[in-house]
């Protein structure tokens, strides 16, 4: 089955069987930031952005991604938003273990892109499903709040540079 998608801003056609999970198809594309964790959509290790929303690729049939935009951590890590998140995580003392990075980063990105000013309660609700193997929820919440501050600083600097 041929499935046209935009993968990391490149239009391609994925070859897959109808029942294949998006996780497995992306790993066959050598996109190794997409990890296999719980295979039930709970841990966050396989998270990708699908049309701008963080989703667990281990439970998404690849056929549902037809004509969608898929972003993996390999590509996202080149963005300014990633740098804001990484800086916030570093300030909070969060280790990027390599296994649960996609879940932490894409959850943080979703919060920062959909909230004018995130608060602890809202962040906690958004990240409670993640199986964090290298930090705890309170530290992750702090990291996301710090990332918000870095984003505000960057946006202010960009706005001032334009004036």
């Amino acid at each position: 089955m041929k499935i046209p998608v935009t993968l990391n801003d490149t239009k391609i056609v994925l070859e897959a069987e109808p029942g294949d999970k998006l996780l497995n198809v992306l790993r066959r594309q050598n996109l190794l930031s997409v990890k296999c964790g719980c295979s039930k959509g709970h841990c966050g290790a396989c998270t990708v952005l699908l049309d701008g929303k963080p989703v667990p690729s281990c439970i998404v049939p690849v056929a549902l991604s037809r004509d969608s935009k898929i972003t993996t951590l390999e590509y996202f890590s080149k963005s300014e938003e990633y740098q804001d998140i990484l800086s916030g995580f570093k300030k909070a003392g969060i280790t990027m273990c390599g296994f649960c990075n996609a879940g932490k980063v894409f959850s943080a990105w979703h919060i920062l892109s959909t909230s004018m000013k995130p608060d602890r309660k809202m962040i906690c609700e958004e990240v409670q499903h993640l199986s964090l193997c290298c930090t705890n929820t309170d530290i992750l919440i702090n990291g996301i709040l710090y990332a918000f501050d870095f984003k505000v600083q960057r946006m202010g600097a960009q706005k001032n540079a334009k004036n």
Side-chain angles (χ1 to χ4, degrees), residues 11 13 16 31 41 44 68-69 81 94 96 98 125 144 148 156:
K11 290 186 183 235
V13 175
L31 297 166
S68 293
K69 181 179 179 183
E81 292 91 348
I94 296 172
M96 299 299 279
E125 289 171 4
I144 293 170
F148 177 78

Side-chain angles (χ1 to χ4, degrees), residues 69-93:
K69 181 179 179 183
I70 303 165
T71 305
T72 65
L73 197 56
E74 284 92 347
Y75 183 78
F76 184 77
S77 67
K78 299 171 188 166
S79 70
E80 290 177 327
E81 292 91 348
Y82 178 79
Q83 292 308 314
D84 296 337
I85 294 165
L86 202 60
S87 296
F89 284 7
K90 183 177 180 181
K91 185 173 180 180

Side-chain angles (χ1 to χ4, degrees), residues 55-68:
V55 299
S57 64
C58 69
I59 61 170
V60 175
V62 70
L64 292 180
S65 68
R66 177 177 296 280
D67 299 320
S68 293

Side-chain angles (χ1 to χ4, degrees), residues 6 8 12-13 15 22 27 30 38 57 59-60 68 76 86 89-92 98 100 107 115 119 141 148 157:
T6 301
N8 294 332
I12 67 166
V13 175
E15 293 281 340
L22 182 57
R27 291 209 37 104
N30 289 318
C38 68
S57 64
I59 61 170
V60 175
S68 293
F76 184 77
L86 202 60
F89 284 7
K90 183 177 180 181
K91 185 173 180 180
C100 61
S107 293
S115 176
D119 63 36
I141 291 169
F148 177 78

Side-chain angles (χ1 to χ4, degrees), residues 26 33 46 51 54 60 83 90 103 113-114 120 135 147:
L26 293 175
S33 71
C46 66
D51 293 327
V60 175
Q83 292 308 314
K90 183 177 180 181
S113 66
T114 59
R120 295 187 79 77
T135 192

